[in-house]
Coordinates of all heavy atoms in Angstrom, one line a residue:
W19 N -6.6 28.4 14.4 CA -6.5 27.4 13.3 C -5.2 27.5 12.5 O -4.6 26.5 12.1 CB -7.7 27.6 12.4 CG -7.6 26.8 11.1 CD1 -7.4 27.3 9.9 CD2 -7.6 25.4 11.0 NE1 -7.4 26.3 8.9 CE2 -7.5 25.1 9.6 CE3 -7.7 24.3 11.8 CZ2 -7.4 23.8 9.1 CZ3 -7.7 23.0 11.4 CH2 -7.6 22.8 10.0
G39 N -1.3 12.6 -7.3 CA -2.7 12.0 -7.3 C -3.1 11.8 -5.9 O -3.0 12.6 -5.0
S53 N 15.8 17.5 -6.4 CA 16.3 17.8 -5.1 C 15.4 17.4 -4.0 O 15.8 17.4 -2.8 CB 16.6 19.3 -5.0 OG 15.3 20.0 -5.1
A55 N 14.2 14.4 -3.6 CA 14.5 13.0 -3.3 C 15.9 12.9 -2.7 O 16.8 13.8 -3.0 CB 14.4 12.1 -4.6
N63 N 8.5 9.0 -11.0 CA 7.9 9.5 -12.1 C 6.4 9.8 -11.8 O 5.6 8.9 -11.6 CB 8.0 8.6 -13.3 CG 7.2 9.0 -14.5 OD1 6.8 10.2 -14.7 ND2 6.9 8.1 -15.5
G77 N 9.7 3.2 -12.1 CA 10.2 3.0 -13.5 C 9.2 3.7 -14.5 O 8.7 4.8 -14.3
E89 N 7.9 0.9 6.9 CA 8.0 -0.5 6.6 C 9.1 -0.6 5.5 O 9.6 -1.8 5.3 CB 6.8 -1.1 6.1 CG 5.7 -1.2 7.2 CD 4.5 -2.0 6.7 OE1 4.2 -2.0 5.5 OE2 3.8 -2.5 7.5
A98 N -0.6 -9.7 -14.8 CA -0.4 -11.2 -14.8 C 0.1 -11.7 -16.1 O -0.3 -11.2 -17.2 CB -1.6 -11.9 -14.3
A99 N 0.8 -12.8 -16.1 CA 1.1 -13.5 -17.4 C -0.1 -14.5 -17.6 O -0.8 -14.8 -16.7 CB 2.4 -14.4 -17.2
E109 N -4.0 -21.9 -29.5 CA -3.7 -20.8 -28.7 C -4.3 -19.5 -29.2 O -4.2 -19.2 -30.4 CB -2.2 -20.6 -28.5 CG -1.8 -19.5 -27.5 CD -0.3 -19.4 -27.3 OE1 0.3 -18.9 -28.2 OE2 0.2 -20.0 -26.3
S127 N 9.9 -8.2 -2.2 CA 9.8 -8.7 -0.9 C 9.4 -10.2 -0.9 O 8.4 -10.6 -1.5 CB 8.7 -7.9 -0.1 OG 8.4 -8.5 1.1
A135 N -0.3 -19.3 -9.5 CA -0.9 -19.7 -10.8 C -2.2 -20.3 -10.7 O -2.6 -20.9 -9.7 CB 0.1 -20.7 -11.5
D167 N -11.4 -17.5 -0.9 CA -10.4 -16.9 -0.1 C -10.1 -17.6 1.3 O -9.1 -17.5 1.9 CB -10.8 -15.5 0.3 CG -10.9 -14.6 -1.0 OD1 -10.1 -14.8 -1.9 OD2 -11.8 -13.8 -1.0
L192 N 3.9 -19.3 -18.7 CA 3.0 -20.5 -18.5 C 3.2 -21.5 -19.7 O 3.5 -21.1 -20.8 CB 1.6 -20.1 -18.4 CG 1.2 -19.2 -17.2 CD1 0.9 -17.8 -17.7 CD2 0.1 -19.7 -16.4
R227 N -12.2 -17.1 -15.9 CA -11.6 -15.7 -16.2 C -10.9 -15.7 -17.5 O -10.2 -16.6 -17.9 CB -10.7 -15.3 -15.1 CG -10.3 -13.8 -15.1 CD -9.7 -13.5 -13.8 NE -9.5 -12.0 -13.7 CZ -9.1 -11.4 -12.6 NH1 -8.8 -12.1 -11.5 NH2 -9.1 -10.1 -12.5
V241 N 4.7 -6.1 -3.7 CA 5.5 -5.3 -2.7 C 7.0 -5.3 -3.0 O 7.5 -6.4 -3.1 CB 5.2 -5.8 -1.3 CG1 6.0 -4.9 -0.3 CG2 3.7 -5.7 -1.0
A260 N 26.8 11.6 4.4 CA 25.9 10.8 3.5 C 24.9 10.0 4.4 O 24.0 9.3 3.8 CB 26.6 9.9 2.6
Y261 N 25.1 9.9 5.8 CA 24.3 9.1 6.6 C 22.8 9.5 6.5 O 22.5 10.7 6.6 CB 24.8 9.2 8.0 CG 24.1 8.4 9.1 CD1 23.9 7.0 8.8 CD2 23.6 8.9 10.3 CE1 23.3 6.2 9.8 CE2 23.0 8.1 11.2 CZ 22.8 6.8 10.9 OH 22.2 6.0 11.9
G288 N 7.6 9.7 13.5 CA 7.7 10.6 12.3 C 8.5 9.9 11.2 O 8.6 8.7 11.2
Y291 N 14.0 9.8 8.1 CA 14.9 10.2 7.0 C 15.0 11.7 6.9 O 16.0 12.2 6.3 CB 14.5 9.6 5.7 CG 14.5 8.1 5.7 CD1 13.3 7.4 5.9 CD2 15.6 7.3 5.6 CE1 13.2 6.0 6.0 CE2 15.6 6.0 5.7 CZ 14.4 5.3 5.9 OH 14.4 4.0 6.0
D298 N 9.2 14.0 19.5 CA 8.8 13.4 20.7 C 7.3 13.1 20.8 O 6.5 13.9 20.4 CB 9.2 14.3 21.8 CG 8.8 13.8 23.2 OD1 9.2 12.7 23.5 OD2 8.1 14.5 24.0
M303 N -1.0 12.0 26.2 CA -2.2 12.3 25.4 C -2.8 11.0 24.8 O -3.8 11.1 24.2 CB -1.8 13.2 24.2 CG -1.2 14.5 24.6 SD -2.4 15.6 25.4 CE -3.6 15.9 24.1
T317 N 8.1 13.4 29.2 CA 9.5 13.8 29.1 C 10.0 13.5 27.7 O 9.4 12.8 26.9 CB 10.3 12.9 30.1 OG1 10.2 11.6 29.8 CG2 9.8 13.2 31.6
G319 N 11.3 11.7 25.0 CA 11.5 10.2 24.6 C 10.8 9.3 25.6 O 10.9 8.0 25.4
P326 N -1.1 8.6 42.9 CA -1.7 9.7 43.7 C -1.2 9.6 45.1 O -0.7 8.6 45.6 CB -3.2 9.3 43.6 CG -3.3 8.4 42.4 CD -2.0 7.7 42.3
Y330 N 1.1 3.9 46.4 CA 2.5 3.6 46.0 C 2.5 2.6 44.8 O 1.5 1.9 44.5 CB 3.3 3.0 47.2 CG 2.7 1.8 47.7 CD1 3.2 0.5 47.3 CD2 1.7 1.8 48.7 CE1 2.7 -0.7 47.8 CE2 1.1 0.5 49.1 CZ 1.7 -0.7 48.7 OH 1.2 -1.8 49.1
G333 N 3.2 3.7 38.7 CA 1.9 4.2 38.1 C 1.6 3.7 36.7 O 0.4 3.7 36.3
I343 N -6.9 10.9 49.5 CA -8.1 11.6 49.1 C -9.3 10.7 49.5 O -10.3 11.1 50.0 CB -8.1 11.9 47.6 CG1 -7.0 12.9 47.3 CG2 -9.5 12.4 47.1 CD1 -6.9 13.2 45.8

Side-chain angles (χ1 to χ4, degrees):
W19 169 249
S53 65
N63 175 16
E89 293 186 336
E109 186 176 79
S127 174
D167 297 324
L192 301 107
R227 196 165 189 172
V241 178
Y261 183 51
Y291 300 96
D298 177 52
M303 299 297 291
T317 61
Y330 63 93
I343 297 176

